Amino acid sequence: MGEKLSMDYNENVSRLNEVLNLDTNFDIIRKGITIAGREACIYFIDGFLEEAIMEKLLEFFYKLKPEELPKTAQQMADHVVPYVEVSVMIDEDDILKNLLSGVTCLLLSGYDACIGLDCRSYPMRSVSEPSKDKALRGSKDGFVETLVFNTALIRRRIRSPKLSMEHMTAGRTSQTDIVLCYMENRVDRRLLRELKGRINAIKLDSLTMNQESLAECIYERKWINPFPKFKFTERPDAASAAILEGNIVVLVDNSPQAMIIPTSVFDIVEEADDYYFPPVTGSYLRLTRFLIALITLLLTPTFLLLFQNPEWVPEWLAFIQIKEAVNVPIVWQFLILELAIDGMRLAAINTPSMLSTPLSVTAGIVLGQFTVDSGWFNSEIMMYMAFVAIANYTQSSYELSYALKFMRLIMLVLTSLFDIWGYLAGFILTLAAIAGNKTIAGKSYIYPLFPLNLNQLKKRFLRLRLKEETEGK
């Protein structure tokens, strides 16, 4: 706790001026005013102040008469100030935290407290459809970097007094705002207490990577397992649905994503389109996503295994065999292309939008026809890797796509070294990585497959009617 304000107005102003280093910080502004014959001043951050509101407040303060001023700052905030979001702060640290967050602070002679006027306005982009979590149907709004707007998007969808938005902070210097969103009557209380305890125990100076920093701090187990422990979404409708199912949604200031806790592998595979289409179509989309995920994992290792054992290839699949000369070992072709695909993805991210189309055309020509003609790659290898690269985008979770990629690389290397036994070992290792993973609540990552719950398992694989989906929740 910092020092408390005193009744000496000049002393309070002098201390704040020194701590805020007003002579150096051009964007921290102090404006002296007179209220009912008393000295006063306001501190604010230039760029955070809603000027129209402050002008009306100053107009009101200038009209106050001495007999209208109450004896305490709390009475002033409660009965005189004509504004809704007003607070009283007596601790210097509390004042600095609020001021640097954008709250306008009013010091008035005769009071040993500061009055906070929350008339801030953050720079922000408009609420629009997220570029990543798109849906063919459904709402087209998405989270933004401003925390209060994100909570409002959830409140708009869940109009229940049972919905709680609990505020916390983390980071000694950054003082990053965090909000836990949950339903009072549905949340796992033990998990909620544990999560709050972990956030309060964070000793970092700053959450430099927003939710990723927070995720690494609250998940205490080893991170060697590549399968994601959290689900991230930029869609308010998906976050609201998770809250109604009893999950906790974590919002972090300056991040346009919501983190859903706890998360199983089945939660990560689900997408909004599964529910915005009729049950038959939604079930088809979900099963297709599961099947493609399995194919992306096994396609290239299986082809390598069959290439090493051509006698296992049945006659009706004889056309898959490579007929041209193989100049570079197959396993090295796969590994080089895996790396090249990630290189192209990074290049696409960092390429100006006006040049993205020429880049795609050039990359398609160079890595397509020319590399095959030069003898570096065989056409069959290029085709299978092209399918894998495109199929990875069927998963909305980048973390899951990369987890499957890492396990696929391990299977390729093991298959190359140990043939069928390496292939089986890689597949078993993948299953063990998924089954051995734990949610942040310490529960099974593959529930309801283990422990087995057939009714819930059916809901995970099939998109049922709304009444059937909500039964038992």
Side-chain angles (χ1 to χ4, degrees), residues 300 333-349 359 363 367 377 381-393 402 405 408-409:
T300 54
Q333 291 190 42
F334 279 132
L335 295 178
I336 292 172
L337 284 173
E338 290 276 9
L339 184 63
I341 288 171
D342 279 335
M344 290 179 60
R345 182 180 299 178
L346 293 174
I349 292 174
L359 173 68
L367 290 182
F377 300 104
I381 306 301
M382 292 290 293
M383 181 187 69
Y384 295 138
M385 283 307 305
F387 171 82
V388 170
I390 296 173
N392 278 333
Y393 290 104
Y402 272 105
K405 179 187 183 73
R408 183 170 64 251
L409 292 175

Side-chain angles (χ1 to χ4, degrees), residues 287-301:
L287 291 174
T288 300
R289 204 175 299 116
F290 274 109
L291 179 61
I292 291 178
L294 183 62
I295 292 176
T296 57
L297 173 68
L298 298 178
L299 179 61
T300 54

Side-chain angles (χ1 to χ4, degrees), residues 187-205:
V187 71
D188 182 343
R189 287 287 173 181
R190 184 193 63 81
L191 174 60
L192 180 62
R193 288 193 301 270
E194 185 176 348
L195 179 60
K196 290 195 289 186
R198 293 182 185 182
I199 294 176
N200 287 325
I202 293 176
K203 302 301 182 183
L204 289 181
D205 186 63

Side-chain angles (χ1 to χ4, degrees), residues 329-468:
I330 296 298
V331 65
W332 282 107
Q333 291 190 42
F334 279 132
L335 295 178
I336 292 172
L337 284 173
E338 290 276 9
L339 184 63
I341 288 171
D342 279 335
M344 290 179 60
R345 182 180 299 178
L346 293 174
I349 292 174
N350 294 300
T351 301
S353 57
M354 66 182 66
L355 299 177
S356 59
T357 300
L359 173 68
S360 302
V361 173
T362 304
I365 294 175
V366 173
L367 290 182
Q369 190 64 40
F370 289 171
T371 51
V372 172
D373 292 344
S374 65
W376 272 95
F377 300 104
N378 293 91
S379 56
E380 292 85 353
I381 306 301
M382 292 290 293
M383 181 187 69
Y384 295 138
M385 283 307 305
F387 171 82
V388 170
I390 296 173
N392 278 333
Y393 290 104
T394 60
Q395 303 295 334
S396 62
S397 170
Y398 287 141
E399 294 86 353
L400 181 59
S401 296
Y402 272 105
L404 294 173
K405 179 187 183 73
F406 297 148
M407 303 314 295
R408 183 170 64 251
L409 292 175
I410 292 174
M411 288 188 67
L412 281 170
V413 173
L414 291 177
T415 302
S416 174
L417 294 176
F418 306 108
D419 205 59
I420 182 63
W421 300 110
Y423 180 88
L424 294 175
F427 185 68
I428 293 172
L429 179 63
T430 303
L431 294 180
I434 298 175
N437 209 354
K438 295 288 185 182
T439 68
I440 190 174
K443 297 181 180 179
S444 172
Y445 191 62
I446 56 173
Y447 176 81
L449 186 60
F450 180 83
L452 184 62
N453 185 328
L454 291 177
N455 186 44
Q456 291 296 324
L457 188 63
K458 179 178 67 173
K459 296 178 183 178
R460 291 298 191 177
F461 281 101
L462 301 176
R463 154 74 163 95
L464 306 179
R465 294 180 63 85
L466 182 61
K467 183 178 180 181
E468 298 171 291

Side-chain angles (χ1 to χ4, degrees), residues 28-53:
I28 303 179
I29 298 175
R30 171 184 172 270
K31 176 178 175 55
I33 58 176
T34 301
I35 299 179
R38 295 189 192 180
E39 282 189 285
C41 67
I42 57 172
Y43 290 88
F44 60 92
I45 305 293
D46 191 15
F48 284 167
L49 182 67
E50 185 66 49
E51 296 180 358
I53 296 176

